[in-house]
Amino acid sequence: MEEQIIHIMPCIGEAAPAFKASTTQGPIDFPADYAGKWIILFSHPSDFTPTCTSEFMTFGAMQKEFTALNCQLVGLSIDGLSSHIAWLREIRKIEWKGLKNIDVEFPLIDDITMNVAKIYGMIQPSASETKAVRAVFFIDPKGIIRAIIYYPQSLGRNFDELRRVLIALQTTDRHGVSTPADWHPGDPVIVPAPTTMAALHKRDAGEPGITCHAWWFCTRPLAKAETGYDGSDGGKK
């Protein structure tokens, strides 16, 4: 009988596992150092690899957008600090898709021991025992994991989607709503239960702005400015 392999990883709604580590921006105490901010903690398989380079150039170019959204970026791979620093220096020399002279100023964790990668379930032996998969953890200002996205090593991430997820999480918290499929800032939002029936009554009373597609499915407008996002449409159709 084949032995069952159990992988332990943090779940949505749990406190983000705490750790201390050295990074390219100095030592960090995670997530305590970023209390009051949203955090995107993400892993990549290895320094000096093409897909990872394209991702770091993109994150570096978008860093001001994430900062404006009260979000701290923190990267990780199973490489040492000297490798990280050398790689980031080389990244600055590369030109790709109009990006050039990119300074990566967010911390990149030295995790050569794989301690952090293991407690976050970033090592998946069926993919690799020595490289992290492309994991993304969205952590709220209270240190709670709110969303997790995993990609295989061969697939580069969609950064418009990472930004969209962050804005959607902030919007649902701020306004007590939900977001429908393919939601982008400026689109209508879902009026969640138990207020859906109240929204239905408002619609029947002629109150503008409420659209009910079914008794359990009502939406209302929410201006882009109310989401806290004033940047580009980020891929909005």
Side-chain angles (χ1 to χ4, degrees):
M1 183 175 179
E2 187 175 343
E3 182 181 356
Q4 184 179 10
I5 299 175
I6 300 175
H7 302 291
I8 299 175
M9 60 182 65
C11 296
I12 292 172
E14 294 181 349
F19 61 85
K20 294 181 180 180
S22 298
T23 80
T24 52
Q25 298 292 318
I28 62 170
D29 183 357
F30 189 96
D33 283 349
Y34 308 116
K37 293 183 178 182
W38 287 81
I39 308 168
I40 293 180
L41 171 66
F42 67 99
S43 57
H44 67 280
S46 182
D47 298 344
F48 294 101
T49 54
T51 300
C52 301
T53 297
S54 70
E55 292 190 323
F56 265 73
M57 292 184 73
T58 305
F59 252 144
M62 295 176 67
Q63 184 170 348
K64 290 183 179 179
E65 289 185 59
F66 285 102
T67 298
L69 291 166
N70 190 35
C71 180
Q72 173 67 51
L73 303 175
V74 181
L76 174 147
S77 76
I78 302 169
D79 292 289
L81 206 56
S82 58
S83 173
H84 288 340
I85 293 170
W87 180 46
L88 296 184
R89 285 176 177 171
E90 289 301 311
I91 282 177
R92 200 176 188 284
K93 303 174 185 178
I94 297 171
E95 183 172 351
W96 174 74
K97 289 182 67 174
L99 303 176
K100 59 181 179 179
N101 300 321
I102 299 297
D103 286 316
V104 176
E105 297 177 342
F106 55 83
L108 176 51
I109 295 169
D110 173 345
D111 194 34
I112 200 166
T113 62
M114 298 193 288
N115 289 339
V116 179
K118 286 179 178 177
I119 64 174
Y120 274 87
M122 296 168 173
I123 303 298
Q124 301 192 2
S126 56
S128 174
E129 294 186 353
T130 59
K131 293 181 180 179
V133 294
R134 300 184 195 280
V136 187
F137 288 82
F138 295 81
I139 301 167
D140 72 17
K142 295 180 180 179
I144 303 300
I145 296 170
R146 299 293 300 279
I148 305 170
I149 306 175
Y150 276 87
Y151 300 79
Q153 295 173 356
S154 60
L155 180 62
R157 285 165 271 220
N158 183 308
F159 286 78
D160 288 336
E161 172 63 3
L162 300 186
R163 174 177 52 194
R164 190 192 75 90
V165 170
L166 175 65
I167 297 168
L169 288 169
Q170 294 176 342
T171 299
T172 59
D173 282 4
R174 185 179 296 117
H175 297 282
V177 297
S178 299
T179 57
D182 295 327
W183 179 87
H184 287 85
D187 290 346
V189 293
I190 292 173
V191 180
T195 56
T196 305
M197 290 304 295
L200 187 61
H201 293 317
K202 289 180 180 179
R203 180 209 62 175
D204 292 342
E207 182 170 324
I210 300 293
T211 301
C212 289
H213 312 277
W215 62 263
W216 66 89
F217 182 12
C218 295
T219 60
R220 70 172 179 85
L222 186 70
K224 181 185 290 188
E226 293 182 83
T227 68
Y229 181 66
D230 59 0
S232 67
D233 285 345
K236 187 180 186 305
K237 296 177 182 178

